[in-house]
Amino acid sequence: MEEHELKPCPFCASEYPHIMLNDRGAKAGMWRYFVECLNCESKTGIYKTKEGAMQAWELRAYKK
């Protein structure tokens, strides 16, 4: 999966959030995306598009 530049985690300030793919609905063609911090495991909700998950992460990221 292609890496995208995301803001640091708003909870632990880790600079390693990743876009993850939820494949639980893959058989029905229902791929879903979310962003998760690999340090503290905080995450967004699940979205139909990668862009939706990225936008949700960016909107809740802390301001520098």
Side-chain angles (χ1 to χ4, degrees), residues 18-34:
H18 285 276
I19 300 167
M20 310 294 258
L21 178 63
N22 176 344
D23 62 355
R24 291 184 190 175
K27 290 182 182 177
M30 299 171 67
W31 294 95
R32 300 292 186 251
Y33 299 89
F34 62 97

Side-chain angles (χ1 to χ4, degrees), residues 2-63:
E2 186 179 319
E3 293 296 319
H4 295 277
E5 189 135 344
L6 294 167
K7 290 181 182 178
C9 178
F11 302 105
C12 72
S14 171
E15 295 192 14
Y16 301 105
H18 285 276
I19 300 167
M20 310 294 258
L21 178 63
N22 176 344
D23 62 355
R24 291 184 190 175
K27 290 182 182 177
M30 299 171 67
W31 294 95
R32 300 292 186 251
Y33 299 89
F34 62 97
V35 176
E36 180 176 18
C37 173
L38 297 181
N39 185 53
C40 72
E41 299 180 359
S42 66
K43 59 186 102 174
T44 64
I46 297 173
Y47 294 84
K48 291 181 183 180
T49 65
K50 191 182 308 183
E51 293 75 20
M54 291 171 58
Q55 186 174 45
W57 182 267
E58 295 298 304
L59 290 175
R60 71 180 208 170
Y62 68 91
K63 296 178 183 176

